Amino acid sequence: MMRTRPLKVALLGCGVVGSEVARIMTTHADDLAARIGAPVELAGVAVRRPSKVREGIDPALITTDATALVKRGDIDVVIEVIGGIEPARTLITTAFEHGAGVVSANKALLAEDGAALHAAAEKHGRDLYYEAAVAGAIPLVRPLRESLAGDKVNRVLGIVNGTTNFILDKMDTSGAGYSEALDEATALGYAEADPTADVEGFDAAAKAAILAGIAFHTRVKIGEVHREGITEVTAADIASARRMGCTVKLLAICERAADGRSVTARVHPAMIPLSHPLASVREAYNAVFVEAEAAGQLMFYGPGAGGAPTASAVLGDLVAVCRNIIGATTGPGESAYTRLPVSPMGDVVTRYHISLDVADKPGVLAQVATVFAEQDVSIDTVRQQVRQDGSGEASLVVVTHRAPDAALSGTVEALRKLDTVRGVASIMRVEGE
């Protein structure tokens, strides 16, 4: 039998995502009620600019006092889509204190202070759901913390930022430079006016922290995630990757150490073989590759951002939280029992693709090989090509075997000091092999 008293929802933020959440709640009200077992009612919408016209939303619901809204005793669920650290953090904890469950899309806050938010939710016996914080419409958080709860996840490898994937894809398919591809992404609405969070990897690093925490049942903060963006990726890097049968992607990589005693989380550009499933992820799409002990290899693919896709994830969480309220229960909370340390990037075992501009004369290759040997880094392949421009230089491309990242970084620094090395044209890690 359906409960007649509606569950009341407070919406914090009514931008691209929030407006879509409100629209779907209105247009799909009957379906949502049937799936939940009770009607849901939008009881208030907190915004910064109340004068803005918001189609489909009763102006009487609009307020600028978000604190008063979440403190109302009749609010059952608070949906937070305003982003940032404050006032979102205070509003969420206030919602718990006043008896509301929370659905959030706030990756930055969860990556920075997720443990405290989970603790507040548990203290007050409320839900904290955040599927939309990681990969837009792609179901990923729930499969990791529920469907794979009985398995052991060893690796999560993914493209979790649509803006950077669009830029790198355009550089690969059209030969455009970074600036030109960024301009196109901005014109199409994929990149913000200030794209720093995306192109410098901050957005992906926050998502990596959340994914690592869930996958490995430990706490990982964004400050523990190694981060590199795509601003230094050049057309020459893309061309080098193509010659190797690879493409370049900004990857979020979360791994459990082979001995099981630590984890790593990192975000950086990398070459991946065209045969890898992630290589075919085009334009602004996201995909995450999960490797689990029993389930094997799983791939989750779809639109990772945008108003409607993100709202889809938010509404999915809303249904789950409302069902829990009706059943007088809560869903899974934080699982951090392993308490595994996060290893620094220098300890991570990686492969490098290094392209050098060198003098075209005998003995150069021997000097370069000696540097690698002194750093205890083994070489996989070497390709040298003399330039035909009369410069007296050659291009030397070295691909290494896997070695600690610190040793590879030390190798590059030592190569720069050789008189015969005119410059380091390209350095990029190689993944997915």
Side-chain angles (χ1 to χ4, degrees):
M1 180 179 294
M2 181 175 291
R3 165 177 151 168
T4 57
R5 185 176 72 81
L7 293 163
K8 295 192 175 184
V9 178
L11 178 60
L12 308 182
C14 198
V16 174
V17 175
S19 59
E20 279 295 310
V21 169
R23 182 188 66 80
I24 296 172
M25 284 186 65
T26 302
T27 58
H28 295 183
D30 291 342
D31 287 336
L32 290 172
R35 294 165 191 172
I36 292 168
V40 287
E41 175 187 312
L42 189 58
V45 182
V47 300
R48 285 184 295 180
R49 296 187 296 275
S51 59
K52 181 179 177 181
V53 176
R54 295 172 172 87
E55 292 185 12
I57 299 178
D58 184 350
L61 297 178
I62 302 297
T63 178
T64 57
D65 194 342
T67 301
L69 180 59
V70 299
K71 283 184 175 181
R72 279 174 46 177
D74 63 337
I75 297 297
D76 297 290
V77 184
V78 170
I79 297 176
E80 182 271 309
V81 288
I82 57 177
I85 305 300
E86 287 291 357
R89 173 167 48 198
T90 299
L91 291 170
I92 289 174
T93 55
T94 301
F96 291 141
E97 291 166 1
H98 287 77
V102 172
V103 174
S104 176
N106 195 332
K107 53 189 169 287
L109 177 57
L110 288 158
E112 177 62 34
D113 217 16
L117 295 179
H118 275 292
E122 183 178 2
K123 177 182 177 181
H124 297 284
R126 301 301 167 192
D127 274 323
L128 173 62
Y129 275 60
Y130 45 89
E131 185 68 68
V134 175
I138 304 172
L140 189 57
V141 172
R142 193 169 291 126
L144 281 174
R145 72 176 187 175
E146 296 182 35
S147 303
L148 295 173
D151 207 341
K152 180 181 180 182
V153 176
N154 292 315
R155 194 171 195 236
V156 179
L157 172 74
I159 298 165
V160 294
N161 183 273
T163 300
T164 52
N165 198 58
F166 179 89
I167 292 170
L168 292 174
D169 183 50
K170 287 302 173 183
M171 292 176 70
D172 186 29
T173 57
S174 70
Y178 167 77
S179 296
E180 184 181 352
L182 173 59
D183 288 343
E184 184 174 354
T186 304
L188 291 172
Y190 292 129
E192 301 286 346
D194 179 2
T196 302
D198 293 322
V199 299
E200 293 293 357
F202 290 101
D203 175 85
K207 295 172 179 177
I210 296 170
L211 288 173
I214 299 170
F216 307 134
H217 303 277
T218 195
R219 289 176 179 169
V220 179
K221 284 193 170 186
I222 188 170
E224 297 174 301
V225 180
H226 175 82
R227 176 193 55 79
E228 298 173 29
I230 65 166
T231 55
E232 301 301 320
V233 176
T234 65
D237 294 327
I238 302 295
S240 292
R242 194 178 300 113
R243 284 193 291 270
M244 287 180 60
C246 295
T247 189
V248 177
K249 299 292 186 182
L250 182 72
L251 299 179
I253 305 170
C254 311
E255 294 177 303
R256 189 191 302 268
D259 61 8
R261 296 180 180 177
S262 64
V263 299
T264 60
R266 50 194 166 106
V267 168
H268 55 72
M271 295 181 180
I272 58 173
L274 294 175
S275 58
H276 194 281
L278 292 178
S280 62
V281 179
R282 305 291 302 278
E283 299 205 333
Y285 276 74
N286 284 188
V288 178
F289 204 71
V290 177
E291 298 176 12
E293 203 164 83
Q297 297 179 332
L298 308 170
M299 184 168 166
F300 301 82
Y301 170 84
T310 305
S312 171
V314 169
L315 269 295
D317 280 349
L318 175 65
V319 169
V321 173
C322 288
R323 285 172 175 171
N324 290 341
I325 292 172
I326 292 173
T329 186
T330 56
E334 183 188 33
S335 176
Y337 70 93
T338 62
R339 297 185 177 88
L340 296 173
V342 181
S343 296
M345 186 63 193
D347 294 345
V348 176
V349 176
T350 63
R351 296 182 67 203
Y352 266 34
H353 170 281
I354 304 170
S355 179
L356 305 171
D357 296 327
V358 299
D360 177 25
K361 63 181 183 180
V364 172
L365 183 56
Q367 288 183 342
V368 170
T370 297
V371 169
F372 279 89
E374 290 173 346
Q375 297 291 328
D376 199 26
V377 175
S378 181
I379 294 174
D380 182 16
T381 62
V382 177
R383 184 179 74 251
Q384 184 170 345
Q385 183 174 0
V386 177
R387 294 181 179 171
Q388 303 303 315
D389 56 4
S391 63
E393 294 185 359
S395 295
L396 180 63
V397 177
V398 179
V399 180
T400 73
H401 281 293
R402 291 170 64 84
D405 200 80
L408 290 163
S409 298
T411 300
V412 172
E413 291 307 308
L415 288 171
R416 294 182 192 275
K417 296 177 182 178
L418 291 178
D419 291 339
T420 51
V421 173
R422 306 297 191 229
V424 180
S426 172
I427 308 168
M428 193 166 293
R429 296 178 184 87
V430 182
E431 297 287 343
E433 296 184 326

